[in-house]
Amino acid sequence: MMKQRVLGLLTTGLLGAGLFGSAHAEEPPINIGFAIAQSGRMAVTDADAYRFAQMWIKQQNEKGGLLGRQIVYETADNKTDLGEAVKAGQKVLASDPDLVLVSCDYDFGAPSAVQVQKAGKISAFMCAADPKAGVLGVGPLSFTGGTAAQLGGAVIADWAIKEKGLKTAFVLEDVAGEAQKSACAGFKWMYEKDGGKIVGSEQFRFDDASISAQVSEISKKIASDGVQTVMLCSHLGAGGAVRQIRSAGIDLPLLGPALFDGVAWTSAVPGLTNFFIPTQVVIEGDPRPEAQAMTDAFVAEYGEKPASMWSYPIYAWLQLWAKAVETAGTTDPQKVVDVMNSFKDEPTALGPRTFTPQLHIQTSEPMQITEFTDGRQKFVEEWKIEDAIPNSVLYRVGG
């Protein structure tokens, strides 16, 4: 377990110089625990989100902290292991934190978050896209900084029909993960609601060496049913699948969820073009000044750009948590949560955020449509769906 206590933070410059000389010197610091992946495959996702959270802490301390108190933090590695995630939660709880941030992924963050809920503390998944990351899957003191995968699927479906006129689709669903399935659920709901027709569907896994049978079926449906677009419900690990589709001469517009955000994977598909996805933030030139300022600050702090949009959400969530703490005048968990549950289209650096006592994930925020052209990801336009996503879609249940 790596601990960043007061002395450690002083050596890295994260505590303001006025900590011990202020009028609040007798006040204990506000403590944030991180029960996240610093090793194993989830470390790739958690690493930049962790750096964004550290950057927020530094900036907040430079402004005087919260309630006149500086913020300190400590970190426990869940090692991308479910058993270790339980231990990580218990380890950071030993220091009596005011808040615990857990892994982006619901599966690896939940074991820690459950421990935090049992202790009566607030937890937040740094970027989980599963609606269970919060009230339903953990409890009323748990949140996620992320956006429901269903929203991304619905946004790209709505945009594809209303802006591009793509009214006949083939759906290729990656069944290797829940987020991919959720993105597909949102897409199918909105696409058919908007009058689109899904004329074919196949399943695969992102790590399949070959999807030749599925690609053949897409080609058949193009010829027989006039398929105009293919929705690929997967993530950036599916570069091989995208390459096989394009290699088969299928040059239709491809659609995907936000799980494809970032350009590191596009080397698997040289010259990738005509592929559209929604995202929370555009790393290469976001038109919103506050969002772009986040990227610029990250680059100034760490010397490189974030790998994907999944790094950003915890920064916006921490802005809201800080506002709730200041409004409540305390870090008392229930009082802070009561304030957060009242937030309706509350502004953040990434746009408006809403919480309710029943739902602690974003399901209606505007998203940024981006296009991959010659392997580069570029902003197209902002898009917001008009309809609320029904619970049957959010939780993927019948009815």
Side-chain angles (χ1 to χ4, degrees):
M1 170 179 169
M2 180 180 71
K3 293 185 176 181
Q4 281 102 350
R5 301 280 190 171
V6 173
L7 291 178
L9 289 173
L10 282 168
T11 62
T12 58
L14 289 179
L15 282 182
L19 174 58
F20 297 104
S22 72
H24 298 275
E26 73 282 359
E27 292 280 353
I30 289 175
N31 184 16
I32 297 177
F34 290 86
I36 60 172
Q38 295 183 295
S39 57
R41 65 180 177 85
M42 275 303 301
V44 176
T45 305
D46 285 1
D48 278 354
Y50 181 41
R51 293 205 285 179
F52 256 119
Q54 290 173 303
M55 187 177 79
W56 179 87
I57 291 170
K58 178 180 178 180
Q59 292 172 346
Q60 195 68 32
N61 279 335
E62 289 172 348
K63 294 187 292 185
L66 276 176
L67 304 177
R69 298 156 59 188
Q70 292 286 288
I71 304 170
V72 298
Y73 67 94
E74 64 175 281
T75 307
D77 184 7
N78 69 28
K79 303 177 183 179
T80 314
D81 178 273
L82 298 180
E84 290 295 327
V86 174
K87 295 177 184 177
Q90 294 169 339
K91 286 178 181 178
V92 296
L93 282 170
S95 65
D96 192 28
D98 298 283
L99 167 68
V100 177
L101 304 182
V102 304
S103 275
C104 274
D105 183 80
Y106 173 75
D107 290 335
F108 292 103
S112 300
V114 167
Q115 301 302 313
V116 178
Q117 177 69 38
K118 289 179 180 178
K121 305 282 188 178
I122 298 174
S123 69
F125 294 79
M126 291 195 293
C127 68
D130 190 329
K132 295 193 299 294
V135 180
L136 182 67
V138 178
L141 300 181
S142 183
F143 293 77
T144 176
T147 295
Q150 287 88 340
L151 177 61
V155 165
I156 199 65
D158 197 50
W159 177 83
I161 285 184
K162 294 178 179 177
E163 285 295 297
K164 299 288 282 186
L166 302 173
K167 298 183 179 180
T168 310
F170 190 101
V171 173
L172 190 57
E173 182 174 13
D174 178 357
V175 294
E178 296 306 303
Q180 298 95 292
K181 297 174 188 176
S182 293
C184 246
F187 177 84
K188 292 173 182 177
W189 165 71
M190 180 58 79
Y191 195 76
E192 293 177 337
K193 187 176 187 302
D194 281 349
K197 185 177 182 181
I198 296 173
V199 298
S201 181
E202 288 284 338
Q203 295 181 338
F204 79 114
R205 294 179 58 90
F206 72 93
D207 52 0
D208 285 343
S210 172
I211 59 165
S212 58
Q214 293 93 327
V215 172
S216 177
E217 189 63 24
I218 295 171
S219 295
K220 290 178 183 177
K221 288 295 183 179
I222 292 173
S224 64
D225 294 89
V227 168
Q228 297 175 303
T229 187
V230 178
M231 173 62 178
L232 187 60
C233 302
S234 190
H235 57 63
L236 47 79
V242 178
R243 183 179 64 252
Q244 291 177 63
I245 292 171
R246 287 299 193 228
S247 296
I250 299 172
D251 58 1
L252 299 176
L254 297 180
L255 309 175
L259 299 165
F260 276 104
D261 185 62
V263 297
W265 67 276
T266 61
S267 60
V269 195
L272 176 63
T273 295
N274 207 19
F275 186 21
F276 302 88
I277 69 167
T279 183
Q280 290 188 58
V281 61
V282 184
I283 297 174
E284 296 287 346
D286 197 294
R288 299 165 298 172
E290 286 190 326
Q292 184 60 44
M294 290 177 64
T295 302
D296 295 341
F298 188 96
V299 172
E301 187 72 25
Y302 302 112
E304 61 185 358
K305 291 180 179 178
S308 78
M309 70 159 225
W310 301 103
S311 312
Y312 292 73
I314 194 58
Y315 186 101
W317 189 90
L318 283 166
Q319 288 182 314
L320 296 178
W321 175 74
K323 183 170 185 176
V325 168
E326 295 284 4
T327 300
T330 177
T331 59
D332 176 82
Q334 192 56 61
K335 292 179 180 178
V336 172
V337 168
D338 286 345
V339 175
M340 294 189 75
N341 284 340
S342 72
F343 287 159
K344 171 72 172 174
D345 293 331
E346 196 70 26
T348 74
L350 292 184
R353 296 290 188 267
T354 296
F355 295 117
T356 71
Q358 295 77 36
L359 206 59
H360 287 171
I361 190 171
Q362 302 309 303
T363 62
S364 62
E365 67 177 272
M367 297 191 76
Q368 314 304 306
I369 304 297
T370 62
E371 177 182 8
F372 290 92
T373 301
D374 293 328
R376 296 191 63 186
Q377 188 177 5
K378 299 180 179 179
F379 172 74
V380 177
E381 64 180 310
E382 184 172 272
W383 197 263
K384 188 179 189 303
I385 60 173
E386 297 177 356
D387 303 284
I389 302 174
N391 286 339
S392 60
V393 176
L394 282 176
Y395 301 118
R396 303 204 328 258
V397 296

